[in-house]
Amino acid sequence: MIKKLVIFCICVLWTCVVQAQSKDVGMIAKVEKGKIILRWMPLNYKAWKEGNEEGYTLLRRTIAKAGKPQNDAPFLVLTPQKRKPLAQPFWENMGKNNKFAHVAGKLLYEPVPSHDTTAQNLNFALCMQMSCMSTSIANGLGMLFEDKLVSSDEEYQYALVLSGKKLVFLEVNAAKITRLKAPANLYGEYSQGEFFMRWQMTDALMHTAYILERSDDGGITFKAPDPNPILISQEPDSLGRVFVSKLDKLPKLYQNYFYRVRAVTPFGQLSEPSNVLRVYGYKDKLPLPKLSTHITPKGVLLQWSFPDSLLNDIQGFKILRAKKLGEKYYQLSPKMLSRKSRSFVDSLPLNSAYYRVALLDYGGKEVTSYPEMVILDDTLPPAQPRWYKPIVSPKGIVKLRWKVHKESDFYGYSIFRGDTKTQEFSIITRRMIQDTVYHDTLSLNLLNKNVYYTIVAYDKRLNASTHADTILVKRPDIIPPSAPNFTNYVLSDTSIVLHWENSPSADLFQTLLLRKNTKDTSYSMLDCFMANENLKSFTDYSVQPNTEYEYRLVAYDDAGLSNKEPCKIQLSLLDLGFGASIKDLTITGDSLTRKIVFSWKYQHPAIDKFLIYRKKGNDYLSEYKYVPASVRNFEETQVLLDVPYSYAIMALYKDGRTSKLSRSVSITLSSPQK
């Protein structure tokens, strides 16, 4: 143990890039803004005693400035007075408030027998460790110097002199600030109220010991539960990595604690903290659940007991089952049961099986009960079969499908069919089938459109399940609906009125009314109505004069079939010599501008022009103005106030015919009130 302590308290300082050592003394430097801190340490008891008695002298010379070498620069003495340990009163005074200083002072001045090399090495190792606990202790031991007369654009070479010999040389770039690395890969394991932690040394030069910190306020503030440093007591592994460990007892259970680690450096400073670990204290030595089993009509009932006082120490329960003793147990519960659960029903039990109940403690560890064996007197039938949606081909081939049964004693299925839902069904499978697909062939030349199916499952003891829910399958429809018939029509010069009787087919779904110009090849749809609407007439206002139309009725059943017999009629408008009158008339006026605007709407493919009729005052309505076919309004200006004006309009067609004269519209512009 003493050998390891000597190795890790001293030698870790001199194994990185920034280092300088001889066989007796090693030295490192820490660069801060505006200063360089030099820290040295003897490597054996003899060198330590010699340094304490003779003292150390520190020299420095500039070897580069602004990147340019300074080859001839001489060494300057930084310590005109040799660096030796301070007198005993210093340690007595400092030791009152610093136990590490108290220990260092005792080790420094307490005599050790010259023949007791073990005691000598132990005192030396402990004193070197104390020197790393604070800058004041290292300085008091004569092993530290702060060089504040430095420039950031210079590089220096330091030499440590002991007994007139330059033992150590160290080159330092004042521009390269030293960064303190945090310990890495902090990992922890909880057990029985104690938390074991392990982490990796990341800087063998700067990490001489560690301080473990703990927080009980959610990670806001951290304090060291033990102020004593954690020493490096393990040698490097095969990859050269050094790991440090610490065991801490939680103050109390059922509370979250947070841990982190900081390294103590040879300069008495703490590094940045490591990653943070959270641990929750709980009891992880728990009693086994006590399991009992009972056979019920609903399956195997499992009941267990567990102390309610330990509910805070578990996450919940799992139910496990195995076919045979020694075989793998499988979880029955689809998810973990509540910690308050004390029963579970296996609704699909095996004829014989072994059961266990397992609890999960807060850390995820399973604690299982002793196994309980259950042998069933098999009177339980299989579960009720569950259908998938059937598929029917146009040729009447029915594909029946259902969910597979997973009972270990399952045997097969029987399928039943009926033409009505209320009659007794007939079995259609000659033998029991094990598959979950069955094909049946339906006759298509029957008027009965519906077929019904059900299924029964059996186990090996021929216990029958309840019938599956009855499903309906429709026969493929190959018989089209009967055709509707036109029964009457009424013709005028503006519209065609159609009357008909709908298809009498029971499976009528909808009817389409189609129309086409007899000169055209394709129909357009005028109306579409469902069977329950029972529409029997239609008035066609969109017809044009001198045009013959063909009307057609098409009936569709619920299978998408249409009537094959034609149901059509050819009709045209009555030609009375007059076109339809213009009906959409508006008239507006403005008394201030003494203007009347007469507007209309009218669509006709062969308009030549419009003839406007006017009545003014007590005059008769008479022809007044012609306007082009493209015009749809007429303005009258300079009208007389307080005199009624009336207007009507007639369309003149290109073939010489005219429309009927429209109704008249009137307006009177009143004189403005004075």
Side-chain angles (χ1 to χ4, degrees):
M1 179 65 189
I2 296 174
K3 180 180 178 182
K4 286 186 177 180
L5 193 60
V6 172
I7 291 173
F8 284 92
C9 287
I10 304 173
C11 294
V12 293
L13 293 173
W14 325 116
T15 56
C16 284
V17 176
V18 182
Q19 62 174 333
Q21 72 179 63
S22 66
K23 66 177 182 179
D24 294 322
V25 179
M27 183 166 63
I28 60 174
K30 182 173 184 290
V31 181
E32 296 183 359
K33 187 176 181 180
K35 65 180 178 180
I36 297 174
I37 306 174
L38 282 302
R39 177 80 165 85
W40 58 90
M41 188 182 294
L43 300 180
N44 52 63
Y45 178 78
K46 181 180 178 182
W48 178 43
K49 295 301 290 183
E50 183 179 356
N52 292 344
E53 295 170 358
E54 299 293 332
Y56 302 95
T57 301
L58 187 63
L59 309 178
R60 186 195 75 188
R61 71 186 184 93
T62 304
I63 59 175
K65 184 176 181 64
K68 296 181 180 181
Q70 306 289 315
N71 297 325
D72 299 328
F75 275 105
L76 302 177
V77 178
L78 297 180
T79 54
Q81 292 184 348
K82 293 183 178 182
R83 306 290 290 178
K84 290 184 177 182
L86 298 178
Q88 195 167 0
F90 167 82
W91 299 103
E92 292 175 353
N93 184 53
M94 186 179 178
K96 295 177 181 178
N97 301 314
N98 188 320
K99 66 177 182 178
F100 301 121
H102 175 73
V103 173
K106 288 189 66 176
L107 296 171
L108 186 64
Y109 289 105
E110 196 172 76
V112 179
S114 59
H115 62 276
D116 192 348
T117 57
T118 298
Q120 291 174 353
N121 288 333
L122 180 59
N123 278 19
F124 160 67
L126 291 177
C127 190
M128 294 306 101
Q129 183 63 57
M130 297 303 104
S131 72
C132 297
M133 302 313 297
S134 77
T135 305
S136 299
I137 295 175
N139 188 59
L141 291 172
M143 299 179 186
L144 182 141
F145 180 80
E146 291 190 5
D147 186 3
K148 298 181 179 179
L149 301 176
V150 297
S151 177
S152 61
D153 64 344
E154 293 182 346
E155 296 181 35
Y156 304 101
Q157 183 182 51
Y158 293 91
L160 188 67
V161 179
L162 178 61
S163 300
K165 298 178 182 179
K166 295 178 180 178
L167 298 180
V168 182
F169 294 91
L170 178 63
E171 294 182 359
V172 182
N173 188 336
K176 295 183 178 180
I177 303 298
T178 304
R179 305 297 179 188
L180 300 180
K181 295 181 181 179
N185 303 322
L186 178 61
Y187 164 79
E189 291 183 355
Y190 172 80
S191 177
Q192 302 185 55
E194 295 180 329
F195 195 41
F196 174 79
M197 286 156 285
R198 185 170 178 261
W199 61 92
Q200 182 180 352
M201 174 196 290
T202 55
D203 192 338
L205 178 67
M206 291 295 177
H207 292 193
T208 59
Y210 296 92
I211 295 295
L212 179 68
E213 297 180 331
R214 184 179 67 207
S215 170
D216 59 1
D217 59 1
I220 299 174
T221 58
F222 285 85
K223 296 180 181 179
D226 183 358
N228 294 317
I230 303 168
L231 304 181
I232 304 167
S233 59
Q234 297 182 23
E235 296 182 0
D237 62 12
S238 59
L239 300 177
R241 301 172 300 181
V242 175
F243 292 92
V244 187
S245 59
K246 173 66 175 177
L247 182 67
D248 188 48
K249 184 175 180 61
L250 301 187
K252 59 182 179 180
L253 299 181
Y254 313 120
Q255 178 173 327
N256 282 313
Y257 292 96
F258 296 84
Y259 285 89
R260 69 186 188 186
V261 177
R262 303 177 78 176
V264 179
T265 72
F267 300 92
Q269 297 172 316
L270 295 180
S271 72
E272 291 297 317
S274 68
N275 57 295
V276 177
L277 297 181
R278 181 186 70 87
V279 62
Y280 179 80
Y282 64 97
K283 293 180 181 179
D284 56 348
K285 289 294 183 181
L286 300 174
L288 301 182
K290 295 181 179 179
L291 176 64
S292 62
T293 58
H294 311 276
I295 299 174
T296 71
K298 294 183 178 180
V300 177
L301 172 63
L302 308 175
Q303 294 178 314
W304 61 92
S305 60
F306 186 77
D308 291 341
S309 60
L310 299 177
L311 289 184
N312 288 335
D313 298 292
I314 65 173
Q315 300 183 51
F317 296 95
K318 294 194 299 185
I319 305 302
L320 308 176
R321 185 183 72 184
K323 291 183 179 180
K324 298 179 180 179
L325 196 63
E327 289 190 356
K328 181 178 179 180
Y329 280 83
Y330 293 91
Q331 182 174 337
L332 287 183
S333 49
K335 59 181 181 179
M336 186 167 58
L337 302 179
S338 164
R339 66 182 75 181
K340 295 183 180 180
S341 299
R342 294 295 184 271
S343 65
F344 179 84
V345 175
D346 181 6
S347 58
L348 299 173
L350 304 176
N351 285 338
S352 64
Y354 288 85
Y355 292 90
R356 276 181 160 181
V357 60
L359 65 83
L360 271 74
D361 67 16
Y362 196 86
K365 179 182 175 183
E366 284 191 6
V367 178
T368 59
S369 67
Y370 293 111
E372 285 286 327
M373 183 180 181
V374 174
I375 300 178
L376 298 180
D377 180 13
D378 189 9
T379 59
L380 296 176
Q384 181 188 32
R386 303 293 180 185
W387 290 108
Y388 289 116
K389 186 176 180 180
I391 301 173
V392 185
S393 74
K395 295 183 179 181
I397 306 299
V398 181
K399 184 178 181 180
L400 301 171
R401 302 177 301 150
W402 55 92
K403 291 185 177 181
V404 65
H405 278 67
K406 297 182 179 180
E407 292 91 341
S408 61
D409 62 341
F410 174 75
Y411 183 61
Y413 302 95
S414 292
I415 302 174
F416 299 82
R417 183 181 67 199
D419 290 332
T420 66
K421 200 172 184 178
T422 56
Q423 77 171 52
E424 183 177 351
F425 284 31
S426 301
I427 188 169
I428 60 174
T429 48
R430 295 182 179 180
R431 56 182 178 81
M432 213 168 291
I433 62 174
Q434 281 74 40
D435 201 356
T436 57
V437 178
Y438 183 80
H439 294 86
D440 189 27
T441 303
L442 301 178
S443 175
L444 303 181
N445 296 319
L446 297 178
L447 295 178
N448 186 2
K449 298 293 184 181
N450 299 332
V451 180
Y452 299 88
Y453 292 92
T454 187
I455 187 173
V456 175
Y458 298 88
D459 63 17
K460 293 179 180 179
R461 295 192 179 185
L462 298 183
N463 294 314
S465 71
T466 56
H467 285 256
D469 295 336
T470 302
I471 58 169
L472 167 65
V473 174
K474 290 186 176 293
R475 296 180 194 272
D477 192 353
I478 61 172
I479 303 175
S482 300
N485 292 304
F486 286 109
T487 58
N488 197 8
Y489 61 87
V490 178
L491 303 178
S492 70
D493 62 338
T494 59
S495 64
I496 297 176
V497 182
L498 301 169
H499 296 272
W500 63 84
E501 285 294 332
N502 289 308
S503 170
S505 297
D507 59 347
L508 178 66
F509 178 66
Q510 65 179 3
T511 304
L512 305 183
L513 176 61
L514 309 176
R515 186 193 76 183
K516 74 169 183 174
N517 189 318
T518 54
K519 297 179 181 180
D520 295 336
T521 58
S522 59
Y523 288 89
S524 61
M525 188 172 67
L526 291 179
D527 200 0
C528 173
F529 53 93
M530 310 305 291
N532 58 3
E533 297 181 52
N534 200 27
L535 187 66
K536 293 186 176 183
S537 65
F538 183 84
T539 301
D540 188 1
Y541 291 104
S542 62
V543 291
Q544 300 296 329
N546 302 320
T547 304
E548 188 172 20
Y549 296 94
E550 181 175 292
Y551 294 89
R552 185 174 181 180
L553 285 169
V554 181
Y556 287 90
D557 62 15
D558 53 12
L561 302 176
S562 62
N563 57 282
K564 293 182 178 180
E565 303 86 356
C567 177
K568 53 187 177 181
I569 188 172
Q570 292 184 357
L571 299 168
S572 61
L573 289 175
L574 290 178
D575 187 1
L576 301 179
F578 295 99
S581 63
I582 302 173
K583 296 181 179 180
D584 294 332
L585 305 176
T586 58
I587 188 168
T588 59
D590 189 344
S591 298
L592 295 178
T593 60
R594 296 169 60 188
K595 181 172 70 173
I596 295 174
V597 179
F598 172 50
S599 303
W600 62 93
K601 295 180 181 179
Y602 192 65
Q603 298 294 332
H604 194 283
I607 301 174
D608 181 46
K609 54 190 170 183
F610 293 100
L611 175 58
I612 298 175
Y613 286 75
R614 188 187 76 168
K615 176 183 178 183
K616 177 181 176 183
N618 295 323
D619 296 340
Y620 293 102
L621 186 69
S622 58
E623 296 180 1
Y624 181 57
K625 292 280 186 181
Y626 289 98
V627 296
S630 60
V631 174
R632 293 296 183 273
N633 62 68
F634 170 74
E635 294 185 0
E636 180 88 38
T637 60
Q638 300 299 317
V639 299
L640 300 177
L641 300 178
D642 301 320
V643 174
Y645 286 79
S646 299
Y647 297 88
I649 191 168
M650 175 188 294
L652 307 180
Y653 305 134
K654 293 179 181 180
D655 60 3
R657 297 183 304 112
T658 66
S659 72
K660 294 178 181 179
L661 183 65
S662 72
R663 64 181 177 86
S664 64
V665 291
S666 302
I667 191 171
T668 301
L669 301 183
S670 302
S671 300
Q673 295 182 357
K674 297 182 180 180

